[in-house]
Amino acid sequence: KYIAFVSGTNVVDVQVQKNALKLHINLKKGELEDSKKLTRDVSNIGHYGNGDYQLQFSNDEDIEYIMSLIKQSLKKNKK
């Protein structure tokens, strides 16, 4: 259902959709600094993937910012 990028544990899970990519960033609610508010809190709903943050995008407009969010997870989950 998803592709996981792992460093000790899952860092980010990627679901490939027809017109977009859906990311689940593996951090608990309150641990991610997302000043642009691109992520959605999925801590209380069922979803594929790990983590409490979901992000969907279909172009590369914010790709550098999205990578900075993933790096936060990498730093936290690296072992």
Side-chain angles (χ1 to χ4, degrees):
K1 301 284 181 182
Y2 62 84
I3 300 165
F5 290 87
V6 181
S7 177
T9 187
N10 289 22
V11 173
V12 64
D13 304 320
V14 180
Q15 282 182 281
V16 179
Q17 299 182 319
K18 184 176 181 179
N19 295 315
L21 292 177
K22 187 181 285 187
L23 307 179
H24 289 93
I25 299 174
N26 191 12
L27 290 172
K28 295 199 181 299
K29 184 177 178 180
E31 292 183 337
L32 183 69
E33 186 179 321
D34 178 14
S35 60
K36 289 189 177 184
K37 308 283 189 229
L38 295 183
T39 58
R40 179 177 101 144
D41 176 10
V42 293
S43 59
N44 292 318
I45 62 172
H47 60 279
Y48 291 112
N50 298 284
D52 292 343
Y53 294 96
Q54 182 184 78
L55 168 70
Q56 185 169 321
F57 68 100
S58 58
N59 60 52
D60 63 355
E61 186 175 311
D62 291 312
I63 195 73
E64 288 183 37
Y65 179 75
I66 292 167
M67 289 304 296
S68 76
L69 299 176
I70 294 169
K71 285 178 185 178
Q72 290 180 53
S73 178
L74 178 61
K75 287 179 184 177
K76 178 78 174 181
N77 292 304
K78 197 171 192 177
K79 295 192 177 185

